[in-house]
Amino acid sequence: SVVAGASVKNFNKECKMILSREKSLSDGKSLDEYFAEKVASGEIDDASVRKGLRDISNKHAKIVLFWLELKYRAEHDAIEVKKLLFKPELEHVMPQKWEENWPTAVVPVVSVDDGSVIADIEKQKAVRNSAIYEIGNMTLLKKHLNDSI
């Protein structure tokens, strides 16, 4: 819900519910029923979730990525560690100061709508600047690895 711009009141509860293997919540509702009620009430919808993932704060992105990493580790028995034994740091894949190392003349800017290369310089800058804070441009790294990048 918090990603969709809804109340943050139950954020931790929702994360735990999404990541747990339990079939129902304490009140007997399934996870699908819980979120269907939020959609029916208009509290969340696809557009608000998409917008939220594009405009997510670093703080919320770090929490979402952390929970996804824990879920992945919990679901893959090949990974022995079920918890993160390091303090993760958020890193932007495309750097916040992208113009220094990712000039548009060298690394083209592509439209997410149709895959075409964007020629207009101002549009290129707008696309890059908006992409910096999307969750798809973020990852978690160990501090020593982050410092070396």
Side-chain angles (χ1 to χ4, degrees):
S1 296
V2 72
V3 172
S7 169
V8 297
K9 178 181 168 191
N10 294 318
F11 183 62
N12 287 338
K13 175 183 167 186
E14 290 173 358
C15 287
K16 182 180 178 188
M17 290 178 344
I18 291 169
L19 300 174
S20 72
R21 294 181 184 200
E22 297 173 17
K23 299 293 182 198
S24 63
L25 310 175
S26 59
D27 60 4
K29 291 180 192 167
S30 71
L31 190 58
D32 289 341
E33 290 170 327
Y34 174 82
F35 282 105
E37 286 178 4
K38 293 202 171 278
V39 170
S41 72
E43 188 175 349
I44 60 173
D45 60 21
D46 286 347
S48 62
V49 171
R50 264 193 302 282
K51 182 181 181 327
L53 290 173
R54 287 194 171 135
D55 298 332
I56 195 164
S57 70
N58 285 349
K59 177 182 174 183
H60 288 145
K62 187 173 180 179
I63 293 169
V64 169
L65 291 171
F66 178 82
W67 279 100
L68 289 171
E69 179 67 21
L70 286 178
K71 179 173 176 52
Y72 178 84
R73 289 171 184 243
E75 289 180 349
H76 292 82
D77 294 329
I79 297 174
E80 294 179 22
V81 179
K82 300 294 185 197
K83 59 183 176 179
L84 295 178
L85 298 176
F86 65 93
K87 183 178 178 184
E89 291 196 359
L90 189 71
E91 177 64 30
H92 294 85
V93 178
M94 178 178 65
Q96 293 172 308
K97 296 178 181 177
W98 60 267
E99 292 168 315
E100 294 174 18
N101 297 303
W102 291 41
T104 58
V106 177
V107 182
V109 180
V110 178
S111 169
V112 295
D113 297 326
D114 60 13
S116 64
V117 175
I118 298 171
D120 179 79
I121 294 173
E122 291 307 312
K123 176 75 172 165
Q124 290 175 344
K125 288 180 180 180
V127 168
R128 286 265 172 94
N129 287 331
S130 69
I132 290 170
Y133 299 104
E134 293 180 9
I135 199 164
N137 187 50
M138 300 176 187
T139 189
L140 296 179
L141 296 175
K142 293 180 181 181
K143 181 170 177 34
H144 75 276
L145 181 58
N146 193 12
D147 290 344
S148 68
I149 292 182

